[in-house]
Amino acid sequence: MTTYINHFIGGASAEGESTRTAPVYNPATGTVEKEVRLGSVADVDTAVQAAAAAFPGWRDASLAKRQAVIFAFRELLNARKGDLAEILTAEHGKVLSDAGGEIARGLEVVDFAAGMPHLLKGEYSENVSTGVDVYSVKQPLGVVGIISPFNFPAMVPLWFFPIALAAGNTVVLKPSEKDPSAAVWMAELLKEAGLPDGVFNVVHGDKEAVDAILEHPVVESVSFVGSTPIARYIYETAARNGKRVQALGGAKNHMLVLPDADLDLAADAAVNAGFGSAGERCMAISVLLVVDTVADDLVARIAERMSTLRTGDGRRGCDMGPLITEVHRDKVASYVDVALADGATVVVDGRDPEVDGDAGGFWFGPTLIDNVATSSAVYSDEIFGPILSVVRVSSYADGLRIINGSPYGNGTAIFTNDGGAARRFQREVTVGMVGINVPIPVPVAYHSFGGWKASMFGDSKAYGPQGVSFFTREKAITSRWLDPSHGGINLGFPEHD
């Protein structure tokens, strides 16, 4: 009997009008476990109308009541995070420890959102003119849309909706159809935490549902994380329809290793940042820029560490799980042939890995490619898999030139014991998030997340102060309370006196 994953609209499970579905695989076995319903334009409209109907009541709820719901959700999520981790592993394939880490980073944003009453405080200027005061308030937008990717089915929605809800907005979330269950699980948990029906809705779907959100006249804003071509499309389409947009795109993150770096630390970091979550994350390190004099040594240390990694089912204590689909696995594997054709050296080949898992899983092992030319597609394309490319450079300046010449600007890192070089790097590099001896510089929740250049489109970064600004709009109020001594009618242009 087929198990269907329904939408969550108006506080309840909903089949929707559309009869289209898509398979949801367990990537570790290669088998279809469920079918997810793909929402139509009408289904999106139903969810948006439910959110719109719930907005006045949620907007007018006191800050204390909203804060209580967010805090209750935080406690429930923390208590049951093991259950959510199992859902993530079953549908995405990442190992359980990585799934747990994803949830932990999402919980940081929930913690941040629980402090929203402080963050929503306005400003007040008394007596700007005689008897006139000016003050500002921050108010919610209304119905907001969130479109999230397959690689972080819990964390990315958690980047957005806790802040949106705490600020008084209502939400329509469209998760990836590849691993949709986490979104519904969180929706049910929000209801248990006391969130009123209709304030948070989930509509599954593909491009039809996405376009319906982008074009719906009631949706005030769109938040998105995904590849650069889709991020650009989201930004252009939503902006053309008069919406605020934060669209986080793809990446090709570089890690520059200078000769004075601790090579053991750099090797550990390269393995962790290159192969964690099977390389399916926008902050993965995919390019190592290594100064020639230490390149052979560093490559050998990385290869040695890679030999200890176990690839397999994420529920079996392995280090790395499968890729999300068979099609994606085959695309990632094709880059090994590209590398060989372009004259690169394949140090560790992941195309035929030994795995602790079902033979039908979408397996591809950690792969290390040396002597990669910057003209190769292995260097320029966002592969989104566990392939680490080594580009040898002559100096700091040579490495910086390559990083700044990339069309992407999401994350980068430098490994060095030279404080002057590190300080120079953080000032000169044209990338939005920088690590110094830290390979994955994802900011904590009270700083904002987002890149530069083709890695970011729209009005603001995710979470942190910019996230609060994105989900609110400021209203300035100028007031005068007349007293019996006012001077009567005056048709002249108002003057400050």
Side-chain angles (χ1 to χ4, degrees):
M1 182 177 178
T2 303
T3 300
Y4 291 95
I5 302 171
N6 290 341
H7 314 294
F8 189 89
I9 299 174
S13 178
E15 294 184 4
E17 295 185 8
S18 173
T19 58
R20 295 191 305 124
T21 64
V24 177
Y25 287 87
N26 181 337
T29 63
T31 58
V32 176
E33 299 291 334
K34 300 176 182 178
E35 292 281 332
V36 60
R37 301 189 187 279
L38 300 178
S40 63
V41 173
D43 295 327
V44 170
D45 182 64
T46 299
V48 171
Q49 296 305 331
F55 174 65
W58 184 241
R59 174 199 60 201
D60 295 339
S62 70
L63 293 177
K65 289 181 179 178
R66 285 192 232 146
Q67 186 181 35
V69 171
I70 296 299
F71 190 78
F73 172 73
R74 189 260 180 215
E75 293 299 282
L76 289 170
L77 179 57
N78 189 50
R80 301 179 194 172
K81 57 190 175 185
D83 296 339
L84 180 56
E86 291 182 3
I87 292 172
L88 301 180
T89 296
E91 291 188 356
H92 175 274
K94 64 181 63 181
V95 301
L96 281 171
S97 60
D98 195 22
E102 170 181 349
I103 298 165
R105 293 309 300 265
L107 269 166
E108 290 182 9
V109 183
V110 183
D111 291 342
F112 175 76
M116 190 61 68
H118 171 73
L119 300 170
L120 291 180
K121 290 189 297 186
E123 298 176 325
Y124 197 104
S125 296
E126 185 181 47
N127 223 38
V128 298
S129 185
T130 302
V132 176
D133 304 328
V134 176
Y135 55 96
S136 62
V137 295
K138 296 178 181 178
Q139 296 183 331
L141 305 180
V143 180
V144 301
I146 300 170
I147 302 167
S148 64
F150 74 82
N151 58 325
F152 288 105
M155 186 182 73
V156 168
L158 285 166
W159 281 359
F160 300 116
F161 76 72
I163 297 173
L165 293 175
N169 300 282
T170 55
V171 174
V172 175
L173 167 64
K174 206 298 287 183
S176 170
E177 64 275 20
K178 295 181 176 65
D179 43 16
S181 293
V184 175
W185 188 90
M186 290 189 290
E188 293 170 342
L189 206 68
L190 282 165
K191 180 171 183 175
E192 185 176 344
L195 191 71
D197 292 347
V199 174
F200 186 84
N201 307 274
V202 177
V203 177
H204 305 293
D206 50 15
K207 188 175 185 298
E208 181 178 348
V210 168
D211 286 345
I213 292 172
L214 300 181
E215 297 169 0
H216 201 291
V218 176
V219 175
E220 296 286 348
S221 72
V222 174
S223 303
F224 171 82
V225 176
S227 68
T228 285
I230 304 302
R232 182 180 286 110
Y233 172 80
I234 295 287
Y235 171 67
E236 292 174 349
T237 306
R240 188 170 61 248
N241 283 276
K243 307 183 192 315
R244 286 189 181 185
V245 190
Q246 48 184 180
L248 283 63
K252 195 72 178 183
N253 301 321
H254 301 70
M255 182 174 124
L256 175 59
V257 182
L258 300 188
D260 67 337
D262 181 323
L263 294 187
D264 283 323
L265 176 65
D268 289 341
V271 171
N272 294 338
F275 307 125
S277 197
E280 293 176 324
R281 53 189 179 194
C282 67
M283 289 297 286
I285 291 295
S286 54
V287 178
L288 282 181
L289 299 172
V290 187
V291 175
D292 287 321
T293 54
V294 295
D296 287 343
D297 192 354
L298 182 60
V299 168
R301 295 180 195 223
I302 293 172
E304 180 182 6
R305 286 160 170 77
M306 291 173 65
S307 68
T308 68
L309 299 180
R310 290 178 55 229
T311 300
D313 194 312
R315 298 163 293 191
R316 301 184 185 181
C318 296
D319 300 295
M320 197 185 85
L323 296 184
I324 186 69
T325 65
E326 183 178 19
V327 170
H328 184 57
R329 188 271 314 276
D330 292 346
K331 180 180 179 181
V332 171
S334 71
Y335 281 96
V336 179
D337 293 323
V338 172
L340 292 169
D342 289 343
T345 305
V346 178
V347 180
V348 179
D349 191 337
R351 289 179 292 183
D352 187 24
E354 293 185 12
V355 298
D356 182 4
D358 192 282
F362 307 138
W363 308 114
F364 181 81
T367 297
L368 179 63
I369 304 176
D370 194 5
N371 299 301
V372 175
T374 56
S375 58
S376 173
V378 175
Y379 168 78
S380 59
D381 292 0
E382 185 184 22
I383 298 174
F384 221 62
I387 293 181
L388 191 59
S389 301
V390 178
V391 176
R392 299 184 178 222
V393 297
S394 60
S395 63
Y396 164 89
D398 192 21
L400 180 70
R401 175 188 58 80
I402 292 173
I403 297 172
N404 287 350
S406 171
Y408 299 106
N410 209 46
T412 190
I414 185 171
F415 275 70
T416 180
N417 283 315
D418 184 337
R423 186 173 187 275
R424 181 181 173 189
F425 183 77
Q426 73 181 38
R427 288 175 58 84
E428 295 180 338
V429 73
T430 55
V431 174
M433 292 171 283
V434 181
I436 298 173
N437 298 317
V438 173
I440 306 178
V442 176
V444 293
Y446 38 90
H447 290 267
S448 298
F449 177 103
W452 289 8
K453 299 186 286 191
S455 295
M456 177 77 199
F457 302 86
D459 301 315
S460 84
K461 294 184 176 183
Y463 62 77
Q466 292 195 37
V468 176
S469 295
F470 182 81
F471 286 116
T472 59
R473 48 188 166 197
E474 187 176 85
K475 181 181 290 182
I477 300 150
T478 302
S479 69
R480 169 185 280 149
W481 295 101
L482 300 181
D483 60 40
S485 65
H486 74 85
I489 295 174
N490 183 350
L491 299 186
F493 193 84
E495 296 181 10
H496 297 296
D497 56 6

